[in-house]
Amino acid sequence: MARAAELTAGELLAPPAPVRLGDVVPAPEQVRPDPTADFTLPADAAVRVGPDPDAREVAEQLAELLRPATGYPLPIVVEATTTGGPLVLTLAAATPPAGVPRPRTAAEDTAGAGAAGAVAGAAEPAGTDGAASVGGVAEPVSPGGVDPTPSAAGPTTVGADELGAEGYRLDVTPTGVRISADTATGLFHGVQTLRQLLPAAVESPSPVAARWVVPGGVLVDRPRFPYRGAMLDVSRHFFGVADVLRVIDHLARYKLNHLHLHLTDDQGWRIAVDSWPALTTVGGATEVGGGPGGFYTGADYRRIVRYAARRHVTVVPEIDLPGHTNAALTAYPELAPDRVAPPPYTGTEVGFSYVDPASERTYDFVADVLGEVAALTPGPWLHIGGDEAFKVKGAAYTGFVERTQRIVAGTGKTVIGWHQIAPAGHAEERVLQWWGTDGTDPVVAEAVRRGARLILSPGNHAYLDMKYAPDTPIGHDWAGLIDVRRAYDWDPGTHVAGVPADAVLGVEAPLWTESVTTLAEIEFMFLPRLPAIAELGWSPRSAHDWAGFRERLAGHGPRWATAGIAFHRAPEIPWPAERDAADTPTTATPTPPATPTPTG
């Protein structure tokens, strides 16, 4: 009784939560705010969770996230059946509130599109191996939230089995926060949403005197597309393990679930292959501009994979073939058409190198490399590149791709290739990554009719190495300038003519690194555009609204500044007026404050 009276008195006197329930990026699918139900985290709070080990892992991550800024101990309490408490995670079928309509599928979103959101900088606990298993609404949706209009099928509640592999429900009442999901991945995504609903000071690496309030109401959320990712090119310039782990944190923060690593190219080979050791000792010793290069040992790569898995991110390794292979030819001239080793390459031109498609030794090499990389990679994908092999034409090219697709299938993986592999014969479940700048591509559309699926990375919307504006100090402009609005204003479900929404596996934002040399520059090119791509992949089409997105995104500037994350202060985003130049990096080469080095 005394506690209830204390809560009631606090509610009457306390100001409203500084964040609104609908202010999440990516936009949640269903939002039902309750301004009378704000929750304030008490100093004696505990995180309550059931006995499932994967759910306990997410509970510990939630506590890891909140402890530095709050200074609260936040112990983990494991219960056979989770009951009430300040923070509760439940791994069970989640039932939405009465009256919330059934979420629409990607195809339904496309049909109705006429009406027109990890722990960055947080250290992984030392000694952790990182393994993880992988109707109408009564109130209006909060500004920046989701259009609650039911689908044509009429308002029906979400069934207990409809949240799927990544969905979650978040309930906030004056007495606590409960996140419910069918899987640990759903719980983890719910934690990322809770993080955004707390004040920006939660990103501080040291204790802050703040009122840790969460806006009241209910969210029911799940992704539009199953594949949502970013690519980091570590071949043109090499980035060490710690930098890659921080990139993973940025992906997880916005519910992106795939990290594509471009591991090999003309300028450097970055993954150790035991059966071909000179690939790294020779081929890994260069980079653009003549720097020292570098490579990942098997242990390094496994550490990246473990760290990503703990954040429910799947690593997608790319071995680019048959072109973009100068580093491999320098190490092993027997793979070259003329059997002569070319000199190391430190420039930025493309299309001049290739392995000999007529040599059986080439296919020994391909089988050994892909076999070893597949054995190191628990995820389902192997990316074989296939782009810009200008000197391998016609049947020589399609024959090489078809044989390589069979090699990938023999490893038990599913093949991904850049969309240039489209003319080759179809392989079961194969995926084309489309990076064109014109949405009319009949060759790709025909490959889709034969069974291929697409990951969309349009060069003029999603290539994050493109400049923001003419005066951006790094980056390129061959695909055009990409400001935040251009990154946001397109629909993956309708972007390529002749490709239906149900053939779109998802979206990916590539970052090529010819001109990107530091972690701060990676962050500058990623942010604030990466959250735009994340919203296109996660949120229903009905939620896509530039005016609402830019307002929601603006609130993330103080979060990035507090966490020591470099970013571009894009002029089209209304960043909070209280910011100052010291808090918001405005150049391409800011040095972020030191952050703990993740371990794994």
Side-chain angles (χ1 to χ4, degrees):
M1 294 291 291
R3 176 61 174 161
E6 179 184 353
L7 286 170
T8 300
E11 291 164 12
L12 293 173
L13 297 173
V19 180
R20 298 171 300 182
L21 193 67
D23 284 348
V24 177
V25 177
E29 185 170 298
Q30 306 287 345
V31 181
R32 195 166 79 174
D34 183 352
T36 69
D38 291 357
F39 166 72
T40 301
L41 183 71
D44 62 351
V47 181
R48 299 182 179 276
V49 67
D52 182 273
D54 293 335
R56 294 204 305 271
E57 172 76 3
V58 179
E60 183 55 46
Q61 288 172 299
L62 173 58
E64 290 171 12
L65 168 64
L66 298 179
R67 285 169 183 151
T70 65
Y72 298 167
L74 291 165
I76 308 300
V77 177
V78 178
E79 301 175 326
T81 302
T82 52
T83 57
L87 295 171
V88 180
L89 303 183
T90 63
L91 190 55
T95 303
V100 175
R102 174 182 62 80
R104 289 193 270 187
T105 66
E108 289 171 332
D109 279 324
T110 300
V119 184
E124 185 173 7
T128 300
D129 69 5
S133 67
V134 178
V137 178
E139 301 88 340
V141 173
S142 61
V146 178
D147 178 358
T149 305
S151 70
T156 58
T157 58
V158 180
D161 61 345
E162 289 192 78
L163 287 178
E166 297 188 87
Y168 66 92
R169 171 179 166 166
L170 186 146
D171 293 85
V172 182
T173 69
T175 57
V177 174
R178 178 182 291 269
I179 303 172
S180 306
D182 295 337
T183 67
T185 300
L187 289 181
F188 182 83
H189 292 324
V191 165
Q192 302 315 307
T193 292
L194 175 58
R195 172 189 201 166
Q196 293 187 29
L197 294 176
L198 284 158
V202 76
E203 305 294 340
S204 172
S206 57
V208 175
R211 177 173 169 257
W212 304 110
V213 61
V214 181
V218 177
L219 294 177
V220 179
D221 202 10
R222 65 178 186 175
R224 181 183 183 190
F225 296 106
Y227 187 109
R228 308 171 309 281
M231 188 209 79
L232 179 64
D233 170 14
V234 296
S235 296
R236 272 46 179 268
H237 281 100
F238 179 68
F239 295 91
V241 172
D243 290 347
V244 176
L245 302 191
R246 183 155 164 127
V247 167
I248 292 168
D249 289 334
H250 297 329
L251 269 59
R253 179 191 287 264
Y254 294 106
K255 303 182 178 74
L256 293 163
N257 62 354
H258 288 81
L259 173 64
H260 170 183
L261 288 176
H262 184 77
L263 292 166
T264 69
D265 214 299
D266 293 314
Q267 298 85 354
W269 186 286
R270 307 304 183 201
I271 181 73
V273 178
D274 291 343
S275 56
W276 297 74
L279 288 171
T280 47
T281 58
V282 176
T286 54
E287 63 184 14
V288 167
F295 65 90
Y296 307 119
T297 65
D300 291 334
Y301 184 77
R302 285 189 292 269
R303 181 183 174 200
I304 290 169
V305 168
R306 288 196 305 266
Y307 190 89
R310 189 169 186 250
R311 287 145 185 83
H312 301 268
V313 172
T314 298
V315 173
V316 180
E318 180 187 351
I319 306 298
D320 206 347
L321 298 163
H324 290 277
T325 50
N326 195 84
L329 303 180
T330 300
Y332 290 100
E334 67 206 78
L335 302 173
D338 59 5
R339 311 298 187 260
V340 175
Y345 186 67
T346 59
T348 60
E349 296 300 318
V350 300
F352 58 89
S353 65
Y354 63 101
V355 294
D356 184 358
S359 169
E360 283 302 309
R361 189 60 174 154
T362 291
Y363 298 101
D364 293 339
F365 164 77
V366 171
D368 290 343
V369 170
L370 295 182
E372 289 195 30
V373 173
L376 289 170
T377 304
W381 315 107
L382 268 184
H383 201 305
I384 62 169
D387 61 319
E388 297 172 328
F390 299 145
K391 295 187 177 183
V392 184
K393 302 179 184 296
Y397 176 80
T398 56
F400 177 90
V401 170
E402 288 163 8
R403 189 163 175 181
T404 301
Q405 288 180 158
R406 292 193 294 271
I407 291 171
V408 171
T411 71
K413 304 297 185 182
T414 298
V415 68
I416 302 176
W418 298 107
H419 72 263
Q420 281 77 12
I421 74 169
H426 181 64
E428 186 177 0
E429 296 296 316
R430 78 169 178 161
V431 176
L432 309 183
Q433 185 166 359
W434 189 85
W435 57 275
T437 58
D438 180 349
T440 301
D441 193 330
V443 176
V444 167
E446 173 58 28
V448 169
R449 283 190 288 272
R450 289 186 280 137
R453 294 172 294 167
L454 292 191
I455 294 168
L456 293 184
S457 301
N460 55 345
H461 291 283
Y463 264 39
L464 300 189
D465 52 308
M466 294 298 112
K467 293 172 177 279
Y468 290 93
D471 60 350
T472 304
I474 57 175
H476 309 289
D477 60 5
W478 63 262
L481 303 173
I482 302 179
D483 60 13
V484 184
R485 182 163 191 171
R486 189 165 184 82
Y488 186 80
D489 270 349
W490 61 284
D491 176 18
T494 60
H495 193 72
V496 180
V499 174
D502 59 8
V504 176
L505 185 65
V507 296
E508 183 178 290
L511 178 63
W512 303 97
T513 61
E514 290 94 338
S515 66
V516 175
T517 63
T518 67
L519 173 64
E521 290 176 352
I522 291 174
E523 293 177 338
F524 177 87
M525 299 303 274
F526 265 16
L527 301 171
R529 295 180 294 190
L530 188 66
I533 303 299
E535 180 148 309
L536 297 182
W538 178 276
S539 305
R541 175 60 179 160
S542 57
H544 295 181
D545 170 63
W546 165 247
F549 174 73
R550 67 192 288 269
E551 293 290 337
R552 286 180 285 116
L553 183 63
H556 289 246
R559 295 178 183 274
W560 298 331
T562 300
I565 299 169
F567 68 99
H568 170 56
R569 194 175 69 188
E572 65 268 34
I573 305 302
W575 307 108
E578 62 269 20
R579 71 185 184 280
D580 57 41
D583 287 336
T584 305
T586 58
T587 70
T589 56
T591 301
T595 56
T597 299
T599 61

